[in-house]
């Protein structure tokens, strides 16, 4: 049954589908002891708080290692597990390994998505929705919060109430938790926070791994335990959950983001039942935690304020808990080892027992160093590694016990940077420990520190060797870096050639795929199939470039007969798959192929001769030198034949099994088909059959190519058009003085060679020049639209909807056309007399088009036809280049019309967004309307990734004026405030400038009368974008000329100097997604809306957190199945626009009753709900009105997104968006606040402001069938398939909500009209 609680109005309804698939099992309380204690298992003696504190004395022995356990070899002998529960060997990643344990041992989890920790939250949400029962006898309660700050607050609350609570996060998310981390630690609450450690956003955001985040919380009073591999992620998670209970100290359990969190590795996974005895061992501690909880049955007070008399002592009273932690953790590690058979130490030494050179490190880098240690020692060196697991509390005693007495020179590696410090945190701890030991009479050792692997920079055995080599020097370099070339402050170590430290028999594979072509998914399946072999170990890791889709993915797979712990990228592949024909020319894919290895290309070539004609000589020479077993398969043709189109992954996966021979084909094919059923079953039988057919057709399509010996002498042809440097974009960049940046940074990064760039080529502080995407020329479309002039009616809609600004209308004169390429056909322009004589054309850039075909589908006249790129690349590229050289004639049109807007230069072009993305057309349009005076504050989200992934900057400039949007991203959570700050800063600077103008005008003696008049004119209109622009055009040359005259007064020079920056009225846009606006940034957004300041807010509403993979936001509609709402969303979408209208849309107090001196008459908010694809004119009106409104404007924009799962694909998203409006799912309206409406004057001459705002409902009629619309989107249809009854009822309620919202909007519109009518007689009076 579905029940609805109605709390006053629609937007507060909660729908509870009590029979949902996701229904939670009723909790049947049982006494904890009966749940946890199998007979005979000993319990923890006494709750710690009741025990005498056990003094752990930190002593420094004379010789750091005297009496210590002997150093162990790199392969520790395994203990036999005592559990009767069999471990299963499974290929999983670090996030899943951790989440398994966290779920088993926690009552409740509060979650929030952040890469790369998100999958942990996703796992527990799915398991909870399936009703999985954990060791506490519960289905975990999982609740997504509005931010990590909220998570930490809720965590604190749940712990205070006696629950076992956990969460998962990293990076900025972890930073948002710091205030509550102090609280939780201060109150000695047991808790585990699992962190996929990630870099912090400083000069740039990085989603990649290092230890900056965890190091930023090391002072918060949490114990910190580090896992070094996927296997350890499981084991240390278990240790953390147990130890926190015993110690009454909260634990951060962390491991390296991506390298461990996302590495798939074959590990031994224990069933949760295996942990039950261990849980039983902490039953008393759990009872104690529960007994200490806030409860009226035994009330106490916490969180008091304390004075100078007791605060200090209260802090010190907790010391004994921290002193006890190391022993507790070691004891717990031993207990866990008894179950798993894997012993661990707080500080674990591997290497030569008599090593003189030792590295101290923590995290996945340890695995690399461990391999290197074995390699070097096998060659007669004496080196070792001390691995750190327990970082906080730091136990000097255990550290010294782990360090071999022979160690004379120590290098401490930190995966973090603490600018301005003497050294990084781990180094400082080690240095202090050794110094104290030396002072106490111990040996004097040399210790140096260095940084490595920041932002997931690969850390290889050659780099580890470089660190050991540095220690061999008489004076080893301190404060070094390894893995980069620092040619500015010269910190870097020289790294020699790579060394092969892999376990013998390891087979390595590399697959170059294109984002969204399915390569990564297929490889994940492949590694799981391979790992099923009893004696086979396997590992998979995936690296991506910054594009949202169509970017490069490189899959690194290893498998072999011995365990694989090599935590670095594949350097020399036995098998190389190149899944896009153009990659072979564009990237140096072959540099990582082993001589004689297998190389498979997805290409249309059938012979060596065809390849020779198409490939650069450099590639031919490389092939000749490597002598690979070379194969070509036309995977697209096979996929097309079975109806899969672009999805070539099954073809490529099948040929991999065929050519690698890793699994015999007679076993591989059934396994592949089994995995297809699992992966595509949800999409229906047809898709399963198509994929199986692709498997069957793959092998016969393979063509073996013999590499001709003559290729060794292939000669270079002159650089062609696609060599970038001759393109108009590159020429324009050269003219702007950023050519060196393109050459030195952009090009190598685009060629996937950014790793080799030295420090000196970068400008510190995070600056990126504009317009760099223009030289990317990704050429990722398989089919590109071509213009059929005879059908075209010149509406420009194709350009209006294009997400990538890759199709543009252009005007040319007959004289200009005389020099046009042959295929540059045109039509006489339609329109006013002013346009007579111009010819019109629509031009596509084939190298920038993503092939989404939105333009083809949207064209009402069938004037665009998608053609294979091979046919159009050369002629249309030439046409595009010619078109770009023509003058822009946007001035001939009204830029506030749909057609006219598209003649304006888009100042956001060729972004990295997905094909067909619904976000980008809005922002592109904004830049066409206001781009030359726009400042964008962009929340983190898709729009900051497609809009600002260095060095790709899609925001560009008008080549004549040099002006364009200035864009910045602060954080996810603070974007509204950031934008407001930008506005306030500019407002204040312009106000002082205006004061200077006023003084000069008032003085009357400076400058010409003409100039003073122009200045006066400017003062009148300085806050009106359009008029101010016109005034500035007049003023600027006058100012410049008169200020440049000899002896010009200082006041004039001051005004001239500021004119460029301050004359134009800035148009401040605060842009972000619904996750930002509805959830994490809502508090700030609310405050900014209330401020009444002149800022514009654009919410790109995809109805989920698209950038992190599609999690629920409060914008997610009722009944949608998205991540973190695996059972379907049971609460209606929050109505942000209505909230703004109702709260801040009217009721401004008149100046006479307002005591604030700084009364702002534009306090009311302008609001619009728009859908670009459904009503082009309405979105234009809304943008123009919002920008003109002097207060806050809020535009909520419906943005179709790949994550919504439109069944016919994103090329049909325009139709889908139109349907959304037609069925009333997305209403279109504009709210003009009362302050914008005309005032009236009464008979006594008093001016009355309008009392009510006015709503214009632009989507008046609801038609069409909501169910049909919902059925076309996977986010809704998946619930229908999973639980038809629940979905039917939720959809029914969705329809009710739509109807009542429409009724309300109509009412509001009518009310506005009524007020207007009432006002009229007075007005006439
Ligand atoms: C404090 C913090 N928490 C989490 C994240 C991770 N994160 C980045 S973007 C994003 C989702 C953005 O969603 P939305 O605002 O809807 O924009 P969209 O990607 O859909 O355009 C999240 C959760 C972050 N960057 N910072
Ligand atoms: S196919 Fe897509 S990217 Fe290419 S021009 Fe058309 S709308 Fe733009
Ligand atoms: S909003 Fe959706 S379609 Fe656009 S870039 Fe993000 S994930 Fe891709």
């Amino acid at each position: 049954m579905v029940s609805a609680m109605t709390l006053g109005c629609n937007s507060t309804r909660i729908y509870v589908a009590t029979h949902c698939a996701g229904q939670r099992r009723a909790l049947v309380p049982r006494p904890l002891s009966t749940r946890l204690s199998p007979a005979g298992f000993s319990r923890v003696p006494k709750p710690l708080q009741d025990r005498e504190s056990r003094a752990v004395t930190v002593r420094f022995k004379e010789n750091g290692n005297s009496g210590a356990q002997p150093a162990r070899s790199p392969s520790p002998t395994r203990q036999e597990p005592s559990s009767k529960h069999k471990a299963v060997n499974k290929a999983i990643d670090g996030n899943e390994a951790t989440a398994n344990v966290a779920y088993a041992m926690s009552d409740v989890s509060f979650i929030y998505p952040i890469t790369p920790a998100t999958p942990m939250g996703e796992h527990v949400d799915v398991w909870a929705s399936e009703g999985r029962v954990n060791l506490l006898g519960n289905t975990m309660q999982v609740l997504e919060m509005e931010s990590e700050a909220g998570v930490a607050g809720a965590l604190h609350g749940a712990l205070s109430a006696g629950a076992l609570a956990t969460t998962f996060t990293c990076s900025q998310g972890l930073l948002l938790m710091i205030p509550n981390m102090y609280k939780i630690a201060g109150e000695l609450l047991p808790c585990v926070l699992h962190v996929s450690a990630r870099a912090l956003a400083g000069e740039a955001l990085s989603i990649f791994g290092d230890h900056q985040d965890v190091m930023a919380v090391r002072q918060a009073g949490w114990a910190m335990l580090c896992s070094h591999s996927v296997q350890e992620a499981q084991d240390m998670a278990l240790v953390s959950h147990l130890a926190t209970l015993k110690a009454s100290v909260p634990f951060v359990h962390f491991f390296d983001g991506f390298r461990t969190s996302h590495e798939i590795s074959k590990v031994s996974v224990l069933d949760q039942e295996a942990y039950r005895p261990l849980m039983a061992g902490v039953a008393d501690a759990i009872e104690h935690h529960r007994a200490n909880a806030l409860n009226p049955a035994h009330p106490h007070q916490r969180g008091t304020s304390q004075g100078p008399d007791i605060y200090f002592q209260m802090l010190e009273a907790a010391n004994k808990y921290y002193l006890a932690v190391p022993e507790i953790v070691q004891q717990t590690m031993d207990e866990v080892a008894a179950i798993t058979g894997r012993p661990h130490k707080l500080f674990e030494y591997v290497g030569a027992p008599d090593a003189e050179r030792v590295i101290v490190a923590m995290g996945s880098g340890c695995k690399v160093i461990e391999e290197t240690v074995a390699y070097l020692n096998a060659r007669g060196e004496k080196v070792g590694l001390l691995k750190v697991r327990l970082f906080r509390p730091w136990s000097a005693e255990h550290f010294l016990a782990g360090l071999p007495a022979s160690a004379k020179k120590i290098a401490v590696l930190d995966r973090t940077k603490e600018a301005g410090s003497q050294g990084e945190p781990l180094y400082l701890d080690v240095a202090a420990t050794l110094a104290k030991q030396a002072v106490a009479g111990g040996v004097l050792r040399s210790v140096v520190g260095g940084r490595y692997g920041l932002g997931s920079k690969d850390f290889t055995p050659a780099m580890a060797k470089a660190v050991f080599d540095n220690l061999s020097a008489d004076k080893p370099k301190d404060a070094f870096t390894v893995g980069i070339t620092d040619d500015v402050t010269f910190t870097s170590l020289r790294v020699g050639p790579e060394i092969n430290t892999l376990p013998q028999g390891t087979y390595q594979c590399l697959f170059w795929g294109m984002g969204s072509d399915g390569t990564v998914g297929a490889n994940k399946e492949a590694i799981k199939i391979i790992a099923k072999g009893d004696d086979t170990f396997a590992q998979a890791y995936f690296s991506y470039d910054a594009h949202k889709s169509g970017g490069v993915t490189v899959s690194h797979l290893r498998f072999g007969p011995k365990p694989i712990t090599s935590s670095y990228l594949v350097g020399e592949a036995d098998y190389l798959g190149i899944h896009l024909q153009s990659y072979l020319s564009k990237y140096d894919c072959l540099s990582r192929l082993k001589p004689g290895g297998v190389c498979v290309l997805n290409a249309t070539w059938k012979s060596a001769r065809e390849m020779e004609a198409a490939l650069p000589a450099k590639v031919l020479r490389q092939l000749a030198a490597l002598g690979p077993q070379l194969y070509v398969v036309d995977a697209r043709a096979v996929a097309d034949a079975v109806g899969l189109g672009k999805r070539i992954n099954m073809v490529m996966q099948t040929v991999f099994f065929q050519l690698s021979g890793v699994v015999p084909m007679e076993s591989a094919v059934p396994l592949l088909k089994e995995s297809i059923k699992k992966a595509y079953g949800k999409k229906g039988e047809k898709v399963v059959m198509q994929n199986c057919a692709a498997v069957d057709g793959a092998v016969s399509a393979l063509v073996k190519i013999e590499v001709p010996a003559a290729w060794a002498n292939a000669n270079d042809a002159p650089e062609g058009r696609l060599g970038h440097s001759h393109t108009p974009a590159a020429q324009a960049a050269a003219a702007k003085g950023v050519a060196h940046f393109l050459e030195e940074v952009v090009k190598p990064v685009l060629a996937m060679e950014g790793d080799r760039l030295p420090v000196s080529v970068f400008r510190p502080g995070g600056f990126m020049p504009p317009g760099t995407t223009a030289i990317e020329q990704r050429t990722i479309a398989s089919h590109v639209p071509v213009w059929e002039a005879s059908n075209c009616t010149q509406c420009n809609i194709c350009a209006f909807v294009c997400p990538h600004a890759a199709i543009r209308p252009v005007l040319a004169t007959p004289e200009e056309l005389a020099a046009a390429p042959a295929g540059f056909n045109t039509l006489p322009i339609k329109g006013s007399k002013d346009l007579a004589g111009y010819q019109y054309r629509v031009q596509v850039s084939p190298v920038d088009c993503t092939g989404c075909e939105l333009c083809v589908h949207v064209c009402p006249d069938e004037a665009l036809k998608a053609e294979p790129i091979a046919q159009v690349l050369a002629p249309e590229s030439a046409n595009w280049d010619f078109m770009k050289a023509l003058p822009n004639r946007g001035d001939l049109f009204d830029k506030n019309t749909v057609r006219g807007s598209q003649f304006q230069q888009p100042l956001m072009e060729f972004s990295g967004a997905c094909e067909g993305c619904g976000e980008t057309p809005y922002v592109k349009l904004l830049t066409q309307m206001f781009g030359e005076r726009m400042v964008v504050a962009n929340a983190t989200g898709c729009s900051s990734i497609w809009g600002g992934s260095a060095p790709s900057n899609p925001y560009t400039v008008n080549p004549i004026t040099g002006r364009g949007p200035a864009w910045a991203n602060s954080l996810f959570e603070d974007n509204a405030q950031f934008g407001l700050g930008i506005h306030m800063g500019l407002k204040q600077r312009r106000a002082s400038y205006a004061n200077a103008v006023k003084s000069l005008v008032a003085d009357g003696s400076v400058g010409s009368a003409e100039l003073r008049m122009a200045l006066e004119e400017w003062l009148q209109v300085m806050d009106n974008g359009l008029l101010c622009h016109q005034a500035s055009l007049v003023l600027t040359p006058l100012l410049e000329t008169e200020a440049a005259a000899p002896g010009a007064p200082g006041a004039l020079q001051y005004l001239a100097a500021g004119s460029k920056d301050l004359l134009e009225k800035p148009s401040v846009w605060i842009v972000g997604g619904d996750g930002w606006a509805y959830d994490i940034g809502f508090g700030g957004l609310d405050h900014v809306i209330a401020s009444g300041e002149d800022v514009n807010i654009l919410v790109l509403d995809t109805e989920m957190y698209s950038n992190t993979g599609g999690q629920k936001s409060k914008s997610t509609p009722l009944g949608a199945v998205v991540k973190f709402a695996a059972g379907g969303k049971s609460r209606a979408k929050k109505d942000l626009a209505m909230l703004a209208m109702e709260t801040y849309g009217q009721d401004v107090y008149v100046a006479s009753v307002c005591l604030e001196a700084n009364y702002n008459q534009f306090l009311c908010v302008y609001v619009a709900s728009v859908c670009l694809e459904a009503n082009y004119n309405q979105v234009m009106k809304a943008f123009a009105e919002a920008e003109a409104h002097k207060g806050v404007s809020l535009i909520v924009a419906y943005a179709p997104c790949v994550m919504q799962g439109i069944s016919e694909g994103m090329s049909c998203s325009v139709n889908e968006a139109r349907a959304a409006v037609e069925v009333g799912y997305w209403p279109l309206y504009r709210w003009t606040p009362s302050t914008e409406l005309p005032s009236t004057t009464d008979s006594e001459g008093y001016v009355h402001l309008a009392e009510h705002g006015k709503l214009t409902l632009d989507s008046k009629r609801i038609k069409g069938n909501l169910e049909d619309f919902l059925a076309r989107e996977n986010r809704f249809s998946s619930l229908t398939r999973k639980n038809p009854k629940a979905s039917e009822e939720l959809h029914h309620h969705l329809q009710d909500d739509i109807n009542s919202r429409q009724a309300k909007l109509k009412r509001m519109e009518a009310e506005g009209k009524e007020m207007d009518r009432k006002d009229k007689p007075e007005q006439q009076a």
Side-chain angles (χ1 to χ4, degrees), residues 1256-1275:
T1256 309
L1257 185 57
D1258 296 308
S1259 57
K1260 290 206 175 18
R1261 232 158 54 83
I1262 292 187
K1263 56 179 184 184
N1265 185 337
L1266 177 70
E1267 275 303 331
D1268 291 348
F1269 165 73
L1270 300 177
R1272 286 195 301 270
E1273 298 200 3
N1274 198 45
R1275 56 182 168 153

Side-chain angles (χ1 to χ4, degrees), residues 11 191 284 321 959 999 1166 1206 1308:
S11 55
C191 175
D284 286 347
Y321 290 89
S999 311
Y1166 171 91
I1206 298 172
M1308 287 170 72

Side-chain angles (χ1 to χ4, degrees), residues 798-984:
C798 52
F800 196 82
V801 300
C802 174
H804 291 87
I807 183 166
R808 301 187 191 175
V810 62
L811 295 192
T813 62
E815 297 73 42
E816 288 162 349
L817 287 173
F824 200 86
N825 54 333
T826 56
L827 293 171
I829 181 82
K830 287 185 181 170
S832 71
K833 276 195 274 164
D834 298 347
L835 301 172
Y838 286 111
Q839 291 291 114
Y840 171 93
R841 176 177 168 83
V842 170
Q843 182 60 52
V844 176
S845 168
V847 293
D848 298 304
C849 168
T850 61
C852 71
E853 297 188 15
L854 266 187
C855 56
V856 176
H857 283 79
V858 84
C859 175
D861 310 307
E862 297 189 3
L864 290 164
K865 196 164 157 235
E867 300 282 2
I869 189 159
Q871 289 172 24
V872 297
L873 183 60
E876 294 301 334
S877 295
N879 288 343
W880 176 267
D881 287 352
F882 177 76
M883 183 276 274
K884 288 291 283 176
L886 293 170
N888 181 287
R889 297 197 158 97
D891 286 351
L892 296 171
F893 300 87
D894 176 359
K895 60 164 82 167
N896 287 354
T897 62
V898 172
R899 186 171 184 240
S901 68
Q902 295 314 302
F903 286 109
Q904 316 303 317
Q905 182 192 354
L907 294 173
M908 200 280 283
E909 59 183 8
F910 320 137
S911 77
C914 302
E915 295 163 35
C917 172
E919 293 192 337
T920 48
Y922 288 107
V923 180
K924 184 191 66 173
L925 179 61
L926 279 184
T927 69
Q928 288 171 305
M929 294 172 78
F930 318 112
E932 290 194 41
R933 54 190 181 87
M934 245 176 118
V935 186
V936 183
N938 208 124
T940 310
C942 275
S943 51
S944 70
I945 301 304
W946 55 249
S949 286
S952 300
N953 181 358
Y955 292 91
T956 190
V957 295
N958 174 336
I960 313 283
T961 62
R963 296 182 70 95
W967 183 99
N969 161 247
S970 170
L971 294 167
F972 186 28
E973 60 271 27
D974 71 351
N975 188 48
Q977 301 94 317
F978 179 55
L980 181 70
I982 290 174
H983 161 75
M984 296 304 285

Side-chain angles (χ1 to χ4, degrees), residues 987-1009:
K987 183 176 158 180
Q988 185 66 357
R989 286 182 63 202
R990 288 188 91 229
S992 343
Y993 189 82
N995 284 340
V997 171
K998 279 180 204 154
S999 311
L1000 192 142
V1001 170
D1003 180 300
S1005 67
V1006 179
S1008 66

Side-chain angles (χ1 to χ4, degrees), residues 198-203 209-216 218 413-428 449-455 479-481 484 486 489 491 759 764:
R198 160 180 154 178
L200 292 178
E203 55 83 28
D210 63 36
H211 299 167
Q212 289 183 65
D213 54 1
V214 284
M215 288 302 163
R218 69 185 190 280
L413 289 184
D414 272 276
R415 204 163 194 158
T416 188
K417 179 172 172 68
E418 195 169 310
S421 72
Q422 249 209 91
E424 273 61 36
L426 183 57
Y427 163 80
L428 290 179
R451 296 182 290 280
Y452 74 107
L454 269 75
F480 60 82
T481 57
I484 56 167
D486 176 3
T489 50
T491 57
V759 171

Side-chain angles (χ1 to χ4, degrees), residues 63-66 71 349 351-358 382-384 400 402-410 437 443-446:
N63 164 342
N65 207 22
S66 67
Y349 179 75
D354 52 351
E356 294 191 350
R357 288 170 292 147
V358 172
K382 288 188 174 167
V383 293
L400 291 170
L403 193 67
S406 53
K408 288 192 181 138
K409 290 182 173 177
I410 294 163
Q437 186 207 24
V443 286
L444 200 59
R445 292 168 164 129
S446 137

